[in-house]
Amino acid sequence: MLRPVAFCLLCLLVSSPASALETMRIAMSEAGGEVQVSGPGLSSGADTEEATFQPLGTRQAIVRRRGKKLEVNGVLVAGSSVRFRSGEAAPGADASREKPLRAGGMEVRGDVVVRVYREGLQLINVIPLEEYLAAVLGSEMPVSFPPEALKAQAVAARTYALQKKLEAYGSSFYLGSSVLHQVYGGVNREDPRTLAAVEATRGEVLTYELAPIEAYFHASCGGRTESGLAALQRDLPYLQPAECPCGRLPASRWTATVSRAELQTALGGSPSGFRISGRTGTRRASRVSTSEGLSMDGPRFRQRLGYTKLKSLDFEVEETPHGYHFTGRGYGHGAGLCQWGAKALADGGWNYRDILSHYYPGTELQQLY
């Protein structure tokens, strides 16, 4: 059952104007000394919610860095950032939504900020939260998954985004657009099914003790999720091991062959006698070692070898004449919502509320707006 969010950390957001509450700032990419922003009815202004935007009279803006300042189409502008907006709405059913902008190789809704950053420029997408989520869903979960699984992912992604916004409140941006945060591919990742899942759960967030949770998720756990402490060094009561039906799916199984040279590079020394020397309660590798005294924790080893090569820490390894053969289960860190598990549960008749309760025990589903 949903209930309004009570007095808590979310009051910081609730006390903000509605437009600010539902707005995210997403770091799109970095560029050198020049970047192009294009869109219909293009206008520009200061990077504030109250800014007045002036039409540029062109569909394209060339932004160049000039020391600590910016130049737009050859004209120096005040400050070290400039914000662009489309001035035309999309036709038909999307008449209330402005046409997207293109910048840094992405097409996005909302505004695009170009700012002086390090030795070059940074692009930031300022976008309504619900529109952001529609593209996140299409980037993070197959749109062919059942509607209830997509709804569960929508709530998890919304909660994760708001928690990160609270954490970074007042910063130039709240989240990146890569796997280090939530994958965000812009307009091209939207789909009618992701839009429907976001709309069906509009404003719903997961809380624990009246604060939004750290709603981590991953592709596949391999049969049992991992604790937040073991996977992410986050000792949180709602990130605990849970049984998962994804272990029966072919998608949860993987193998990898790693050469001796690759393993040596990842370890920073000879791989002779390489073995798993410690495991978590869910049998994932917590530490690896060699016969020559090298030792490394599991998450760091996976990072150095490569996340696409070593898909999870739930693996066995054996030495072969050609290197080292890994046999594993799952894809990702294993904590929180398992996406393939959510699909299996939805296929079995579970609704999104039950799915979320299973993967985030002890949390409440609440209506923020």
Side-chain angles (χ1 to χ4, degrees):
M1 179 178 179
L2 300 180
R3 63 184 179 86
V5 175
F7 184 79
C8 60
L9 288 177
L10 284 178
C11 292
L12 175 62
L13 295 178
V14 172
S15 63
S16 302
S19 60
L21 168 64
E22 298 187 44
T23 299
M24 296 300 297
R25 295 179 64 92
I26 310 301
M28 298 165 55
S29 62
E30 296 178 25
E34 180 179 310
V35 69
Q36 177 179 307
V37 180
S38 59
L42 197 63
S43 60
S44 67
D47 183 19
T48 67
E49 296 302 319
E50 303 80 21
T52 299
F53 284 74
Q54 299 295 331
L56 294 177
T58 177
R59 292 177 54 93
Q60 178 177 297
I62 304 297
V63 185
R64 294 186 177 91
R65 177 169 176 164
R66 295 291 185 239
K68 298 295 184 182
K69 298 285 187 177
L70 296 176
E71 182 185 272
V72 177
N73 290 344
V75 178
L76 201 64
V77 297
S80 59
S81 64
V82 61
R83 187 157 160 176
F84 296 94
R85 175 173 296 173
S86 169
E88 296 182 14
D94 289 332
S96 63
R97 307 171 78 190
E98 291 180 343
K99 286 186 177 180
L101 297 174
R102 176 169 290 278
M106 285 179 66
E107 195 173 23
V108 297
R109 301 198 185 277
D111 298 348
V112 170
V113 174
V114 181
R115 74 181 190 114
V116 171
Y117 185 69
R118 296 176 179 167
E119 301 304 313
L121 301 171
Q122 182 183 47
L123 280 74
I124 298 170
N125 186 198
V126 184
I127 181 173
L129 173 59
E130 302 299 315
E131 293 189 354
Y132 162 70
L133 292 173
V136 167
L137 255 65
S139 304
E140 286 282 5
M141 177 177 274
V143 297
S144 60
F145 275 19
E148 295 303 307
L150 288 168
K151 291 177 192 176
Q153 179 66 68
V155 174
R158 181 183 296 108
T159 304
Y160 183 87
L162 286 174
Q163 195 277 330
K164 289 298 181 184
K165 179 173 181 174
L166 281 168
E167 197 175 78
Y169 207 76
S171 300
S172 298
F173 62 92
Y174 310 139
L175 288 164
S177 56
S178 72
V179 292
L180 296 178
H181 289 121
Q182 297 187 129
V183 180
Y184 170 60
V187 173
N188 291 339
R189 305 306 300 177
E190 292 178 0
D191 183 270
R193 289 163 288 191
T194 67
L195 289 164
V198 169
E199 183 58 34
T201 63
R202 175 175 288 271
E204 293 181 19
V205 297
L206 287 168
T207 66
Y208 185 84
E209 296 182 348
L210 304 180
I213 71 167
E214 296 181 35
Y216 292 100
F217 52 87
H218 58 280
S220 169
C221 68
R224 196 178 187 207
T225 63
E226 181 60 284
S227 71
L229 180 61
L232 304 160
Q233 290 75 57
R234 306 294 297 144
D235 191 9
L236 300 167
Y238 49 80
L239 293 181
Q240 300 299 329
E243 297 301 318
C244 179
C246 85
R248 299 190 295 270
L249 303 175
S252 72
R253 309 283 174 160
W254 58 269
T255 62
T257 299
V258 177
S259 70
R260 185 179 180 86
E262 286 178 296
L263 194 57
Q264 181 167 331
T265 299
L267 292 169
S270 171
S272 297
F274 177 77
R275 68 188 187 282
I276 300 167
S277 53
R279 290 188 182 272
T280 70
T282 63
R283 298 290 298 163
R284 289 171 170 86
S286 61
R287 183 157 291 277
V288 295
S289 305
T290 70
S291 58
E292 296 188 10
L294 285 174
S295 182
M296 186 178 294
D297 67 74
R300 183 169 176 235
F301 171 67
R302 181 172 175 240
Q303 179 187 39
R304 294 191 63 169
L305 192 59
Y307 294 129
T308 55
K309 174 76 74 170
L310 197 65
K311 292 187 175 182
S312 78
L313 289 173
D314 186 357
F315 65 82
E316 303 290 343
V317 61
E318 62 176 344
E319 188 172 2
T320 72
H322 305 291
Y324 296 82
H325 184 70
F326 291 78
T327 304
R329 302 194 307 173
Y331 194 170
H333 51 65
L337 175 75
C338 172
Q339 293 171 328
W340 278 91
K343 177 190 183 302
L345 292 173
D347 284 338
W350 287 39
N351 65 43
Y352 75 99
R353 295 178 178 86
D354 293 335
I355 293 170
L356 292 168
S357 293
H358 180 70
Y359 290 112
Y360 305 108
T363 62
E364 292 186 81
L365 185 61
Q366 299 193 24
Q367 192 81 48
L368 176 58
Y369 51 84

